[in-house]
Amino acid sequence: MLTGLLLTALLMGLGGIAHCAAMCGAPCAAAFPRGVPLLALAGRCVAYMLLGSVAATAAGLISRWGQQISMLQPIWVMLQLAAVLLGIWLLWTGHMPRQVNAWGQQAYHSLRHKFASRAESSALRPLRPLVPFVAGMAWAAMPCGLLYAALMVAALASEPWGGALVMLTFALPSALGVW
């Protein structure tokens, strides 16, 4: 089963190269005017792997709990239905729901304000070389339908390392579009 998930993630990554170039091109140019450093792409891969591991673990736990406790089965079905409805909404409208987008914008502005006020601190200067890696890890928080579709594929993995491997298989070819 893992082979099928890896092949799916690879094809999604290859097919998503143009998507990643178009959607992440402007933020990349703003964040990295001299080009995207390899350290940022490494951070992106690490963050995607962590997301895949968490998704596979969470889906496995909820599935096992749902099998053990019949009360959780309707909750599991509702979560799956919510994911399908979000996918249909994204397909139909082409954008995130207003409330979800508002939550993302609010989190972004809050974090930007916190980091901007601390960026000028002299205590953080030694950590400056890690900024591209951290920026790459922040990619996992992007509101991207392709990313979350790949994450749904990773959630089907039976082990956390399988979910991480699926997301790495997605992240590597799609990194060409970001780069």
Side-chain angles (χ1 to χ4, degrees):
M1 179 168 163
L2 185 60
T3 306
L5 296 177
L6 291 173
L7 181 61
T8 302
L10 178 68
L11 292 174
M12 288 175 74
L14 288 171
I17 290 173
H19 167 83
C20 294
M23 299 305 289
C24 291
C28 287
F32 305 110
R34 295 183 206 152
V36 180
L38 290 178
L39 199 54
L41 295 175
R44 177 180 175 267
C45 288
V46 168
Y48 281 15
M49 289 174 67
L50 288 172
L51 272 179
S53 179
V54 168
T57 302
L61 282 174
I62 292 172
S63 176
R64 284 185 209 106
W65 290 345
Q67 291 171 357
Q68 299 296 324
I69 302 170
S70 61
M71 180 182 74
L72 291 179
Q73 287 177 347
I75 295 171
W76 178 242
V77 170
M78 286 188 292
L79 284 173
Q80 289 178 340
L81 180 64
V84 168
L85 289 175
L86 178 61
I88 291 170
W89 173 269
L90 289 170
L91 182 65
W92 185 261
T93 64
H95 59 83
M96 291 294 277
R98 284 189 192 117
Q99 187 60 42
V100 175
N101 196 28
W103 291 333
Q105 291 287 335
Q106 184 180 15
Y108 168 75
H109 290 300
S110 173
L111 288 172
R112 184 175 180 194
H113 178 69
K114 285 180 185 179
F115 283 121
S117 64
R118 293 181 184 166
E120 298 170 10
S121 171
S122 62
L124 296 178
R125 283 205 181 107
L127 299 176
R128 189 166 287 257
L130 294 177
V131 168
F133 185 79
V134 173
M137 288 195 72
W139 240 294
M142 288 282 228
C144 175
L146 182 60
L147 168 62
Y148 295 128
L151 198 55
M152 291 298 116
V153 173
L156 296 173
S158 57
E159 299 291 331
W161 62 267
L165 192 58
V166 167
M167 286 306 287
L168 179 64
T169 306
F170 166 74
L172 290 176
S174 64
L176 292 174
V178 174
W179 182 62

